Each structure stands twice: as C-alpha cells, then as structure tokens.
Amino acid sequence: MGTLLKPKLLLTYVMLLIGIVMIIPFLFMISFSLKTPLEMTQHPASLLISHPFTGNFETIFKHKTYFIWYFNSVKVVLGVLVLRGLLVTMAAYAFARLEFRFKNVIFMILIAKMMIPSDTTIVARFLLYKYLHLNNTHWAIILPAAFDVFFLFLLRQFFIGIPKEISEAAIVDGCSHYKVYYRIILPLAKPALVTMVLFTFLWTWNDFASPFVFITDMKKQLLTVGLSYFQTEAGADYALQMAGAAVAVLPTIVLFIFAQKYFVQGVAMSGVKG
C-alpha cells in the first residue's frame, strides 16, 4: 500500500508545484495593478503591497474607450458562440448519426485542416476580407471562428458515446433527425457543450492577432488590442495596463467558476471514445 501511495503523493506535489508556478504571473498582475508607477520601477519586483493604490482602476473606469472595447469583445464572443454552437453541433450530429457518401473522407479532410496553423492563412484572409469589404468589421473575426474542427471532433466523439438505441427509438416513434438532435442529443451532451463554450470564450476573448490585423478603427477594436494602446497613450505605464488586464480577466474567472463541473466531465468523457 505504501509503495502505491508514494508515486501518487509525489505526483500530487508535482502538480501542486506546477499550479503554483502557473498562478504566479496572475498574482503579479493583481499586485502591480495596486501599485503606483513609481513602485513599479523598484527592483527587484515584489508581490507585497504596502499601501494599495486604486488610482489605476479609477483611470481605467474613466477611460474614454475602455468599456467600448469591453463591449466589442463581448459582442464578438457572443457572435462566435452562437454561430459555432449551431454549426459545430449540427455537423457533429451528422458525422456521428447520419450515413452519407464520402462521410469518412470528408471527416478526414476536415481533421487534416487541424494541422494548418491559422496564422499561416492570415494574409490570405486579409485579402479575401478586403475583397468582401469585411475588413474593419467584427465579422472579420466572427466568421472564421464560427466553425472549429477541434470541437467538431470533440462533439462527434461525445455523440458517438450516446447509445444509438435512444435516437433510433425516437425516430421509430416519429421524431425527425432535427428533433432527435435538439431534444435528445444536445441535452445529453451538456458537459461537452459547456467545454466548447468555455474554450471558445477563452480563445476568442484572448485573441490578439485577428483584431490587430483586421480592425483599424479604435472604436471598433477589442479589449486585448485596446490594452496595448495604454502604453502608446501613457508611455510605459505597466501598472495601468495591469489594472486593465485585471478587469478584463473577470468574465473568464466567473465563467470558469460556474462551468468547471461540466468542463471536467466533458474533457473526461469526450476523448476516450472512438
């Protein structure tokens, strides 16, 4: 028993150490956001806060475009979530439950697309959106993110794990495939759907490259790029940037707190079925 427990105990300590290392940058962000610009110049940098300074947050809340960027980010994230939720779940249902010609070939071609880094197509997308007059609009960010092959694979795996007898019995009782998808499969796939929502929110909310390339109007810009403009406006005021980042990260923390139960279930149940 003792020899079995030691590796587990060692693994627990290793994971705890990794967790502490990963949370250190977050703690520095919170600490720096509560310091004056003068304190930020002290070396070495310290996590300790002797006198909390709230002036950075007051500057953020009074900034003329900070909450416009915030609203733009929320708008883009919601657009991506709605479109991706519809397109990816319907496609995953089709690949998991329907039979049609070249299904496996099409699926393998889509999976192969995962091997192509999105950044390598950013110039081609810029020229395409310029032709379609989508540059400098939020559609230039929403449309390419509306479909994601990784989540197609994840949801297909999850849908395959749901017994076919359930949907076949519903079809025998007169349900169409749409009703089976909407009333039976989606409710049973809640953990996988929450996982997709959480990752989609994180990736879209934290995306920097796409808004930086496709949006030039500052009033249409997103929060990630907007934070970098603090440095342009106020010089190297890292405390101000840290305060803006601390406010920006709040929706992510709240979402993870409420979704962590389904998130763990979704990751555990979707990757083990083929």
Side-chain angles (χ1 to χ4, degrees):
M1 180 67 74
T3 56
L4 290 176
L5 285 177
K6 285 182 180 178
K8 290 184 179 179
L9 194 60
L10 179 62
L11 181 62
T12 301
Y13 286 135
V14 171
M15 297 301 292
L16 181 63
L17 180 62
I18 293 174
I20 292 173
V21 170
M22 292 182 71
I23 204 172
I24 285 177
F26 178 79
L27 296 178
F28 268 106
M29 180 187 72
I30 299 298
S31 173
F32 288 172
S33 68
L34 293 170
K35 291 186 177 184
T36 64
L38 182 61
E39 289 176 307
M40 290 289 295
T41 61
Q42 294 177 350
H43 294 283
S46 173
L47 269 174
L48 300 177
I49 305 169
S50 55
H51 302 287
F53 176 68
T54 60
N56 298 316
F57 289 97
E58 293 174 6
T59 304
I60 290 292
F61 293 144
K62 292 177 181 176
H63 193 270
K64 56 185 178 182
T65 51
Y66 180 79
F67 285 104
I68 295 177
W69 299 333
Y70 217 103
F71 172 76
N72 291 337
S73 291
V74 172
K75 175 184 169 185
V76 168
V77 167
L78 290 178
V80 172
L81 284 172
V82 170
L83 288 179
R84 183 176 288 182
L86 287 172
L87 296 177
V88 173
T89 54
M90 287 184 175
Y93 177 84
F95 280 109
R97 283 290 192 267
L98 304 183
E99 294 297 332
F100 52 90
R101 293 184 67 184
F102 308 120
K103 183 176 83 170
N104 292 332
V105 175
I106 295 172
F107 185 70
M108 291 308 297
I109 292 174
L110 289 173
I111 291 298
K113 183 182 174 297
M114 292 174 64
M115 305 299 119
I116 304 174
S118 61
D119 289 345
T120 61
T121 63
I122 201 164
V123 175
R125 280 188 282 143
F126 179 84
L127 295 175
L128 176 64
Y129 298 155
K130 183 180 179 182
Y131 176 76
L132 297 173
H133 303 288
L134 291 177
N135 277 339
N136 204 27
T137 72
H138 292 149
W139 288 111
I141 304 171
I142 295 173
L143 289 179
F147 190 84
D148 189 279
V149 178
F150 171 76
F151 292 115
L152 170 65
F153 176 77
L154 185 143
L155 289 177
R156 173 184 171 272
Q157 298 297 95
F158 201 96
F159 291 172
I160 287 175
I162 298 173
K164 277 189 175 181
E165 290 77 9
I166 297 176
S167 54
E168 288 173 351
I171 290 173
V172 170
D173 288 340
C175 281
S176 63
H177 276 293
Y178 174 75
K179 287 185 178 177
V180 173
Y181 154 81
Y182 180 70
R183 293 185 176 179
I184 297 176
I185 299 297
L186 290 187
L188 291 174
K190 192 181 292 183
L193 294 176
V194 172
T195 302
M196 182 179 72
V197 168
L198 186 58
F199 274 113
T200 298
F201 183 92
L202 288 175
W203 293 347
T204 310
W205 186 263
N206 295 329
D207 185 19
F208 180 88
S210 295
F212 183 76
V213 172
F214 299 128
I215 296 180
T216 54
D217 187 346
M218 283 307 299
K219 290 188 177 178
K220 296 180 181 177
Q221 197 50 269
L222 305 193
L223 194 54
T224 47
V225 179
L227 286 175
S228 68
Y229 279 90
F230 281 153
Q231 193 165 348
T232 306
E233 290 180 346
D237 192 345
Y238 297 115
L240 191 62
Q241 286 185 292
M242 292 300 104
V247 178
V249 81
L250 286 178
T252 305
I253 295 174
V254 172
L255 181 64
F256 185 78
I257 289 173
F258 284 102
Q260 60 174 328
K261 173 186 172 184
Y262 293 109
F263 170 70
V264 173
Q265 290 179 4
V267 171
M269 297 176 67
S270 58
V272 296
K273 305 179 182 71

